[in-house]
Amino acid sequence: MEELSPREKYSFKRKLEELEAIKGQHTELITLYIPPDKQIYDVVAQLRDEYSQSSNIKSKTTRKNVLSAIESIQSKLRYFKKPPKNGVVFFVGEALVGRNQTRMVSEILEPPYPISIYLYRCDSQFFLEPLEEMIKDIDTYGLFLIDRRECTIGLLIGTRIEPVSYLTSRVPGKHGRGGQSQRRFERLIEIAAHEWFVKCAGKALEVFKEQKDLKGILVGGPGPTKRTFVNEEYLQFSIQKKIIGIFDTGYTDDYGLKELVNNAAKSLEKLEIAHEKEIMNSFLEKIRDESGLAVYGEKEVRKALEMGAVDTLILSGGLRKYHIWQECNQCGYKEDKTVEKIEDETCPKCASPLEVIQKKDIIDDLSKKADEISAKVEIISLESEEGDTLQKAFGGIAGILRYEVNIPET
Ligand code: ZN
């Protein structure tokens, strides 16, 4: 199965979000999943059944809406000899917009991966779980830090670090008196250390066994203790075999968890986090060194894109905005701008209602412009610290330039 690029994943996710926001007044939104191996005539036959059953719906409005939704699907199915290679999903029905106002929604989606179920559902919202499942691939890693004093257990979920458990020990330091008692003292230390390791391993089992899809465990800590702990196999077998790397960290607390992920990032290059960190670090570096090669803010980035000067366009996956083009049919007034929500607006010149003639998701819009000048596009997820910085400090839109440009103030 081919991996979706972050951009494709983003667009698909965005589409699902839009569908999720749609509500029907009653159970009159139809979702129809057709897997690739399904015969279209079987679907047509079932729809005919559903149609005759729906004729018995008591409420007149609901009946009318359900029937017209089925008719709409039937007419669209005529264009299919067989389902597309990944199957197809229909979302059709009267959606509620404002008080008692409705609008006909009709979306046909070809999913990025094959669908395995055949399903017809009539509900007050669309059924999206099987599609959401397709892009839910957030990896979880276990994080385990240990030395003779502290042990911190956490999780790396996507790019977010979550501390789960913190333990401290009473293992005494390795210095005692000489002679007979010195050996006895060392023996006591070893017993205490052994007990400490057993306790930490028990906690690790407790935390990690709850994670069904743990991709791997990263072990860290200062000094040799972590290796002793791993080599002597204190961890339960199922946990032990998930260890994918042992790394040096300066700390064994929450800060150590960050160190661990940073230090592990190289060997986990597949992890998005490493890549995202790299991009953001190089952007931040260019801001700091005042080379003029960093740019941020929608207006500035658009200008730089127009000038063909952008090497890497950096966008926050948390951007939820549209660029819209609107027009006044009365006086011909035109404008385009970026908005978070599309609302009815009136013409500033003649006060007639403005018509939205085009709307583009801002990530799609800017990415397309970047494609035109062969710039790289990076989407930074919101879960990481870097993503947070990008969104909060730079409005979610930034870029690294090929060369310094003068962006005129407007
Ligand atoms: Zn006007």
Side-chain angles (χ1 to χ4, degrees), residues 328 330-333 347 349-352:
C328 171
Q330 290 302 314
C331 72
Y333 171 82
C347 172
K349 286 200 170 154
C350 72
S352 333

Side-chain angles (χ1 to χ4, degrees), residues 48 91 126 131 140 157 164 227 240 247 260 263 269 278 287 289 310 336 348 359 364 371 392 404:
R48 218 177 289 131
F91 300 97
F126 292 125
L131 296 176
T140 302
I157 304 166
V164 180
R227 289 191 188 277
Q240 174 90 15
F247 302 89
L260 178 60
N263 296 347
E269 254 162 8
E278 213 175 290
I287 287 205
D289 69 14
V310 176
D336 69 282
K359 120 187 162 178
D364 284 342
D371 286 346
K392 290 201 180 118
E404 201 179 343

Side-chain angles (χ1 to χ4, degrees), residues 53-208:
Q53 279 179 37
S54 305
S55 314
N56 303 324
I57 295 172
K58 284 207 186 82
S59 150
K60 197 181 150 200
T61 337
T62 310
R63 184 174 64 233
K64 184 179 134 272
N65 288 343
V66 171
L67 292 179
S68 69
I70 296 177
E71 282 164 17
S72 159
I73 299 177
Q74 284 171 327
S75 73
K76 292 198 170 70
L77 272 178
R78 280 188 209 124
Y79 297 101
F80 289 87
K81 279 204 184 79
K82 58 178 188 155
K85 82 174 198 307
N86 291 332
V88 61
V89 191
F90 289 86
F91 300 97
V92 182
E94 283 295 324
L96 211 49
V97 281
R99 268 178 179 271
N100 297 323
Q101 293 264 44
T102 61
R103 137 184 100 85
M104 182 73 165
V105 173
S106 173
E107 290 275 356
I108 304 176
L109 212 72
E110 282 183 36
Y113 305 122
I115 23 180
S116 49
I117 53 158
Y118 173 68
L119 173 140
Y120 171 94
R121 183 175 288 193
C122 200
D123 203 341
S124 56
Q125 56 202 70
F126 292 125
F127 181 66
L128 299 162
E129 276 80 356
L131 296 176
E132 284 165 347
E133 208 58 39
M134 285 180 185
I135 45 168
K136 197 179 86 190
D137 61 350
I138 294 170
D139 294 336
T140 302
Y141 290 82
L143 306 173
F144 185 87
L145 294 168
I146 191 165
D147 66 4
R148 285 181 170 239
R149 313 222 137 266
E150 293 178 311
C151 170
T152 302
I153 304 172
L155 296 168
L156 175 63
I157 304 166
T159 52
R160 197 181 75 246
I161 295 169
E162 214 168 81
V164 180
S165 186
Y166 175 73
L167 310 168
T168 52
S169 84
R170 293 174 166 275
V171 181
K174 272 186 175 174
H175 44 79
R177 290 163 299 252
Q180 187 75 12
S181 58
Q182 170 70 28
R183 241 171 298 152
R184 192 169 161 270
F185 187 65
E186 275 169 10
R187 175 85 189 121
L188 284 175
I189 289 176
E190 285 327 302
I191 291 169
H194 171 76
E195 280 166 2
W196 165 239
F197 287 167
V198 170
K199 184 176 162 194
C200 296
K203 196 75 196 175
L205 177 62
E206 201 179 292
V207 173
F208 295 145

